[in-house]
Amino acid sequence: MKRIFTRISVLAAFCLLTINVAFAQNITVKGKVTDGGDKTSLPGVTITIKGAQGGTQTDPDGNYSISAPADATLVFNFIGYAAQEQPIANRTTINVALASSTQQLEQVVVVGYGTQRKIDVTGSVANLKGEDISKQISTNPVGALQGKVAGVSITNTGTPGGSPQITIRGSGTIYGKAGPLYVVDGVWYDDINFLNPADIASISILKDASSQSIYGIRAANGVVLVTTNKGKRGDAVINYNGTVGIQKVTNMVEMANASEYATAVNEAYALQNPPVAPLFANTNLGEGTNWYDVALREALITNHQLSISGGTEKSTYNLSLGYLNQDGIVKNNNYTRYTARLSNDFQVFEPLKIGYNVTATSSKSKDPANGIFRALYAASPVVPVFNADGSYGDPNAFNLGNGSNMNPQATLDFFNQQTTNYKITGNVFAELKFLKNFTFRTSLGGDFGQQEVRGYIPVYKASNTQQNTNSKLDIDRVENRNWIIENTLTYDKKWADHSLTLLVGQTAQRNKMYTLRADALNVPFTSNSDLYLALGDAATRNIIDEGELSTFSSYFARANYSYKNRYLLNASVRRDGASQFFGSDNVWGNFPSIGAGWVISNEDFMKNQKIFSNLKLRGSWGKVGNAGVPFNPSTQTVDQTAALIAFFGGIPYTGASIRSLVPPTLFWERSAGTDVGLEMGFFKNKLSVELDYYTRKTEQAIFDIPVLGSLGTVNSSIIANQADIQNRGFEFSATWADKADNGFSYSISGNVGINNNKVLNVTSGANPIYKGGAGLTSGYLSTRTVNNRPIGEFYGYQVEGIFQTAAEAAAWPGFKAGDFKYADVNGDGVIDLKDRVVLGNPNPKFTYGLNTNFAYKNFDLTLDIQGVADVDVYNANLSSRFGNENFTKDFINNRWTGAGTSNTYPSADLAGGLNNAPNSFYVEKGDYIRLRNIQLGYTLPQAISSKMKMQRLRVFLNAQNAVNIFGYKGFSPEVGGTPTNAGIDTNVYPLFATYNFGVNVTF
């Protein structure tokens, strides 16, 4: 660690010498800030130096003092007032009167291929500032959005380096890419886990089809626009942001101890028909092994970022370096990431500006062992970690059977897999202004990355079931080579009461992926750096390579018109062509949109009213697409396997067989959406409210249809464009921001999103599609997708109680005392697949968040609450039973042990009969409310920090996910998954809380 910081310091010093920037002589400026109307003093006004970072605030009497260069400009900002700039010009006293403003309306937000004033936006666009993101202490910028935006559902993963799952206004895609499009400084991505959150200036989320349609074929699941930090004119500003903290598991699941486990297993054996002799002659075995204590830990996380920015009249620059080291909460798991980012803008001459942005990322992870969390749940507590002789505790010594035949410690010790990623990405651009109203911009961007997953299994023997006789080395390498060229021409004209902006553009894009998979046996191990395929047996080496290449060509146009800041019109169209549909009639697609707005508060008849400071009605309609379909799905392929080898004359000949069906053609999904919104401001916009109603219909979604096995196919289904899916909902958000005379200021924001998901129609009609993880739910399929129902709803038997006696169970063949009593839905006297019913919905109906900021003098407090309601989770950890898996303490304490003991929990024989089939007992409410983030900071008074040669010094304490309230009996109800496999909890990385101490320093 020390060596890393030494290198960063040397590099920072080198950059400072290279750009040859020196700090100017500072002077102390004092003054008072008042309200321009009633002349009262304004406490808590923020004063910053233009082009620099850091600053100060006015005291309770409106007075301030700041050290700044004599030729600098001071910027005064306060909630509800127009920002004001004051050149210092060697003055030591500057008094300022601020004028009230409709600040929210004039706010500039990033939209597709440009920016707009908030008042001019006719679609549904949410915007977050970089400072709101950086306060979340998230390692991935997407995770910081959780609870911040109405209608945006985010499921975080606990795996270090993992990417959160984001869903914007519900799921509309079942196959292919279900995530949004990310656009970072004009370059397109499927993920942004390579970005350091501290490098982000703002994030805009385009939620409705009207705002998304300018991205056409890639926008069906939403668009996230990311703008990174740029340099500003002025002297060099050096920023350091650092945190160090501990991650700790929350809501730990308590498991049965050895005595409780042995007793329950004996009970299950006694319930067999005929009864089986007890497995344990003595059940008084004490506590035994707590496998969670063995494998889990309090994990260290540290994150550092150093940036240098500044500029002159002709150029600006921004350089940042980042380092993240995150230990996983399971032992041996670690993730390290290095980031470097450099941007430069050059004003070649007055009309021409050029620049570039480059980001380089290198990461390495020691991956968690496959299935380790399932193993920790299922492992028997009677098995010791090690025997007295130092050998591994062997489950086979206890005759435990298949369900609990693992020693998790051996899994941890002999699992050796690491993943490395390298990525260089960015763009170069030129922007030319001519003929007063025209701007031409051209941009060339690229994304060049490589991921390598290297796994090694040594020769070892921990037990008869955990052993390996031949070492094996596996290497999977994926290379991405993507580029995108975009050219836009903008005409911007304002005259009299009119404002018109016209945009036309063209895009060419190519995505190329190459995959190489290789393995070899008997590779010796001396160290991780000496693992090479060439060292293995030549006869055992295998290699498979494959690739994908897709190209896109697009043309687009947009018009924005405003009259008297009252009547707004927005229209766009995009035409996309994609190579993966070559040879069909669907190579090209057209994606139009239109939006309109009426700023009612600007009407003459609203001038004398005292209720609304802003009232705006808007509506939009648009169509977008999703080209992220399975690659080459319409190409017929053949299988060549060992089973198809035939010998003629002693010579082997490899045969081939067509064993799968492909659709005659497959094209992108289309999504059409309508949005109606109402924006309101009250009390000089101290209170702002926004309401949205939307409906989004995915047309011709890709869906699979069951086919008969008698056709000779390997797969039992064929995929094609054969379904329509609807998401319909309502969004509400409100913000109250105000100040007090004693220097106290605050803002409180709340948001609620309501979404209803439904399959409108599908070619298979009432013939359902069953998914939900065979093997994860004891071989059963636990979800169903069918016409007029949500995607991937849980499906199984409805539990009506527990059979209390053998006589009661005898009336139902296959059941015994202590088993679940299922509802005979069709009344035929037999419990079979025809009696299954809907059990729950993994698609959340309600998402909400409450985000607050408080400031008093030099103290600041941020508190964020986030939650989900009306959602269900399938507890597959409990239901997945193959024999003698461990039980939770909750189950042990409530299980049926005889007539009258329980009518809700079954006996310990969970693996018997239909007890482990999907049923309502395993489906639990997934609602939760969480203290997502709380941060308390203190900024050193400017008079003190300036003496330390600092512009600003802030220290803070932060806690993330510290308080979680839910009724689910697992680690966390925050369970993701693909749309037809969502909400199934098995081997999910547990939720953890993070406690950090951090420092922000500006020089």
Side-chain angles (χ1 to χ4, degrees), residues 650-671:
I651 301 175
Y653 294 88
T654 302
S657 175
I658 297 175
R659 297 193 294 171
S660 62
L661 296 178
V662 300
T665 184
L666 196 70
F667 46 88
W668 53 71
E669 300 171 337
R670 294 170 170 84
S671 178

Side-chain angles (χ1 to χ4, degrees), residues 101 228 882 979:
S101 77
T228 57
F882 302 96

Side-chain angles (χ1 to χ4, degrees), residues 102-297:
T102 55
Q103 185 176 359
Q104 291 84 355
L105 304 182
E106 297 298 323
Q107 176 188 358
V108 174
V109 298
V110 178
V111 296
Y113 299 99
T115 60
Q116 285 183 280
R117 294 185 307 164
K118 174 67 174 174
I119 193 175
D120 294 329
V121 175
T122 59
S124 182
V125 179
N127 184 264
L128 289 94
K129 296 180 180 178
E131 60 194 57
D132 296 326
I133 298 167
S134 62
K135 283 188 177 181
Q136 289 294 313
I137 315 299
S138 294
T139 59
N140 187 295
V142 175
L145 304 179
Q146 193 173 43
K148 296 285 188 181
V149 182
V152 177
S153 175
I154 294 175
T155 303
N156 280 304
T157 173
T159 309
S163 297
Q165 181 178 327
I166 178 171
T167 304
I168 300 175
R169 291 186 168 179
S171 297
T173 295
I174 294 179
Y175 289 93
K177 296 176 181 177
L181 166 69
Y182 297 93
V183 182
V184 182
D185 295 329
V187 183
W188 296 19
Y189 305 92
D190 292 326
D191 194 1
I192 54 172
N193 62 353
F194 63 91
L195 274 183
N196 187 334
D199 286 331
I200 293 177
S202 69
I203 290 182
S204 289
I205 301 178
L206 312 184
K207 297 191 290 182
D208 73 311
S210 172
S211 59
Q212 298 163 357
S213 66
I214 199 70
Y215 290 103
I217 201 172
R218 292 286 301 277
N221 295 301
V223 181
V224 179
L225 307 179
V226 180
T227 302
T228 57
N229 292 325
K230 309 294 182 184
K232 298 178 180 179
R233 295 177 181 177
D235 293 326
V237 177
I238 303 175
N239 266 293
Y240 167 74
N241 298 296
T243 61
V244 62
I246 292 293
Q247 301 163 127
K248 185 177 182 180
V249 176
T250 62
N251 301 85
M252 179 73 77
V253 175
E254 293 187 71
M255 304 301 293
N257 62 32
S259 296
E260 294 165 337
Y261 171 82
T263 301
V265 169
N266 282 352
E267 290 173 6
Y269 277 42
L271 289 168
Q272 304 304 305
N273 189 16
V276 178
L279 180 63
F280 297 96
N282 175 23
T283 60
N284 188 19
L285 301 177
E287 290 295 318
T289 303
N290 185 321
W291 288 106
Y292 285 131
D293 287 347
V294 170
L296 302 185
R297 62 181 175 181

